[in-house]
């Protein structure tokens, strides 16, 4: 039986974790050579406390299936979960009451697929995979994505739950658009996995920011912004205020920084610091997670309160991620 534990993943304690040999996140990153590190076996990393999603992905990997199958199966869990208010079914609507979904997926060969502004379909990640596998395109949007989903056998469903509808009705009284850090920007799932062949894939899926303008698309379905995988190096995922991630193409940046020798945590930190340097950051959250080919992970966020699920060696850990702002 796998077990779930909780630990802190703050800058200093990361270094300390190297000592216990569990994960080598903070190892003298700049000089780290990935090829010299022994494989740590199948691995899953996801944003926020998505332990059910990690476990679903884990069992797919344990059955010898691909990282691509694992990330799809993993993120389908919150997509179907009515309690997850930032993803799929049960997600908060835009300001006109429409639940609109964004998702993308990428495999170890660099193939990718994405849907954005998709309505009425519970599993946008599976539609994104179909875009990747069944079309010559990368992104389908809106009505076109919806029609494509229907043509692939997906069913039309009402995704606006009573709870979300009531909250939206209450919101309309004042109609104040001010996303709340770690609440309305919370729970988007970005997931990276390494399978038994050492291949990495990634997925990201969200209903985006609550009460956004109709038609708004965030970072999550944009390859290189919400998620990016390069099987030679590693992958990265983002959560939080999508506009800030889009302006800096964050996930691609994190992977490129790892290519230059940064550890996963250092790469995430530098990508966060680019936002801090060039954008208004005080009232927004952005968190990055990265996983390199050796199975080492790291993360960094603007604000306190970001955490992640890390699964390796049959252990699932909920880990607090370090941040630029400490309060
Ligand atoms: C977006 N990045 O649409 C997403 C929101 C998010 O947890 O990450 N929520 O901007």
């Amino acid at each position: 039986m796998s077990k779930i534990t909780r630990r802190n993943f703050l800058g200093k304690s990361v270094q300390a974790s190297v000592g216990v040999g569990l994960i080598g996140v903070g190892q003298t990153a700049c000089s780290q050579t990935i090829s010299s590190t022994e494989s740590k076996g199948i691995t899953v990393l996801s944003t926020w406390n998505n332990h059910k999603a990690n476990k679903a992905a884990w069992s797919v990997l344990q059955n010898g299936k691909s990282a691509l199958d694992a990330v799809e199966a993993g993120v389908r869990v919150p997509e179907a979960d009515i309690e997850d208010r930032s993803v799929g079914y049960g997600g908060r609507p835009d300001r006109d009451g429409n639940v609109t979904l964004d998702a993308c997926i990428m495999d170890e060969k660099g193939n990718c697929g994405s849907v954005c502004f998709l309505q009425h379909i519970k599993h946008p990640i599976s539609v994104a995979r179909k875009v990747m596998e069944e079309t010559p395109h990368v992104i389908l949007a809106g009505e076109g994505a919806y029609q494509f989903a229907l043509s692939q056998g997906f069913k039309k469903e009402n995704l606006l739950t009573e709870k979300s509808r009531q909250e939206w009705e209450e919101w309309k009284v004042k109609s104040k658009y001010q996303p709340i850090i770690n609440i309305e920007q919370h729970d988007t799932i970005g997931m990276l996995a390494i399978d038994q062949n050492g291949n990495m894939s990634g997925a990201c899926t969200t209903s985006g920011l609550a009460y956004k303008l109709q038609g708004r698309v965030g970072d999550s379905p944009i390859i290189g912004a919400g998620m990016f995988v390069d099987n030679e190096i590693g992958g990265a995922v983002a959560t939080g205020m999508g506009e800030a991630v889009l302006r800096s193409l964050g996930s691609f940046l994190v992977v490129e920084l790892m290519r230059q020798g940064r550890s996963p945590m250092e790469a995430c930190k530098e990508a966060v610091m680019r936002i801090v340097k060039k954008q208004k950051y005080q009232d927004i959250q952005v968190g990055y997670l990265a996983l390199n080919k050796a199975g080492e992970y790291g993360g960094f966020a603007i604000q306190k309160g970001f955490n992640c699920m890390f699964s390796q060696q049959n252990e699932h850990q909920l880990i607090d991620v370090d941040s630029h702002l400490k309060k």
Side-chain angles (χ1 to χ4, degrees):
M1 269 266 289
S2 59
K3 57 177 180 175
I4 298 182
T5 57
R6 184 179 175 100
R7 58 191 287 271
N8 285 332
F9 173 42
L10 303 172
K12 286 187 187 116
S13 61
V14 166
Q15 297 282 352
S17 74
V18 177
V20 297
L22 189 60
I23 25 185
V25 182
Q27 282 164 350
T28 54
C30 290
S31 58
Q32 183 179 68
T33 48
I34 288 169
S35 55
S36 69
T37 314
E38 253 178 58
S39 160
K40 293 182 172 61
I42 60 174
T43 302
V44 183
L45 176 66
S46 66
T47 52
W48 305 108
N49 185 2
N50 273 302
H51 63 275
K52 287 187 200 150
N54 265 43
K55 285 195 144 192
W58 186 258
S59 70
V60 170
L61 294 174
Q62 269 190 321
N63 287 332
K65 296 222 176 108
S66 68
L68 184 67
D69 288 337
V71 293
E72 182 187 8
V75 306
R76 279 175 64 99
V77 173
E79 280 185 342
D81 183 355
I82 199 167
E83 296 303 327
D84 192 318
R85 315 294 307 290
S86 301
V87 182
Y89 183 44
R92 294 186 178 90
D94 66 15
R95 60 187 65 180
D96 299 309
N98 309 297
V99 179
T100 73
L101 306 176
D102 294 340
C104 73
I105 195 160
M106 191 163 193
D107 74 9
E108 78 278 2
K109 297 190 193 86
N111 299 313
C112 46
S114 155
V115 287
C116 50
F117 191 51
L118 174 65
Q119 295 182 65
H120 314 306
I121 303 289
K122 198 188 265 178
H123 289 297
I125 198 66
S126 298
V127 185
R129 184 168 176 176
K130 290 283 184 196
V131 172
M132 174 174 98
E133 291 177 340
E134 308 294 337
T135 82
H137 307 307
V138 171
I139 306 178
L140 291 181
E143 179 64 18
Y146 172 61
Q147 290 301 332
F148 171 73
L150 294 181
S151 77
Q152 293 292 317
F154 292 85
K155 299 267 166 313
K156 178 176 184 178
E157 291 179 69
N158 174 25
L159 304 180
L160 184 66
T161 58
E162 194 44 32
K163 194 171 174 186
S164 285
R165 197 191 59 75
Q166 272 175 17
E167 265 186 24
W168 168 62
E169 295 287 356
E170 284 161 26
W171 176 82
K172 278 197 294 184
V173 175
K174 287 193 182 151
S175 302
K176 193 166 178 227
Y177 182 65
Q178 193 172 44
I180 304 165
I181 290 165
N182 291 337
I183 303 231
E184 283 166 21
Q185 299 164 17
H186 199 301
D187 285 346
T188 288
I189 184 164
M191 178 180 277
L192 299 163
I194 300 175
D195 61 28
Q196 61 178 17
N197 297 319
N199 287 322
M200 187 182 293
S201 291
C204 188
T205 179
T206 189
S207 53
L209 298 182
Y211 318 130
K212 59 196 174 185
L213 277 175
Q214 191 180 9
R216 181 263 188 190
V217 170
D219 60 312
S220 305
I222 305 302
I223 304 293
M227 186 272 296
F228 192 71
V229 170
D230 181 330
N231 201 43
E232 282 176 22
I233 305 296
V237 289
T239 183
M241 182 60 81
E243 281 72 7
V245 178
L246 282 165
R247 287 185 197 108
S248 53
L249 208 56
S251 292
F252 181 73
L253 175 61
V254 170
V255 173
E256 289 307 299
L257 289 165
M258 289 197 290
R259 190 191 306 278
Q260 291 165 23
R262 306 291 207 292
S263 72
M265 192 187 75
E266 286 178 335
C268 292
K269 185 170 183 179
E270 185 158 337
V272 163
M273 294 317 286
R274 293 267 175 106
I275 295 173
V276 165
K277 212 166 143 190
K278 298 192 174 169
Q279 302 188 40
K280 280 202 175 139
Y281 69 93
Q282 282 86 354
D283 298 326
I284 62 164
Q285 172 67 304
V286 168
Y288 291 113
L289 297 179
L291 180 66
N292 69 20
K293 277 288 284 179
E296 298 163 341
Y297 74 106
F300 204 78
I302 297 176
Q303 314 275 346
K304 228 177 138 207
F306 178 39
N307 54 18
C308 65
M309 278 302 300
F310 180 68
S311 305
Q312 202 172 61
Q313 293 169 1
N314 219 26
E315 228 188 279
H316 305 275
Q317 299 179 82
L318 176 62
I319 297 164
D320 291 328
V321 174
D322 198 9
S323 57
H324 176 61
L325 298 175
K326 306 289 181 194
K327 285 187 194 163

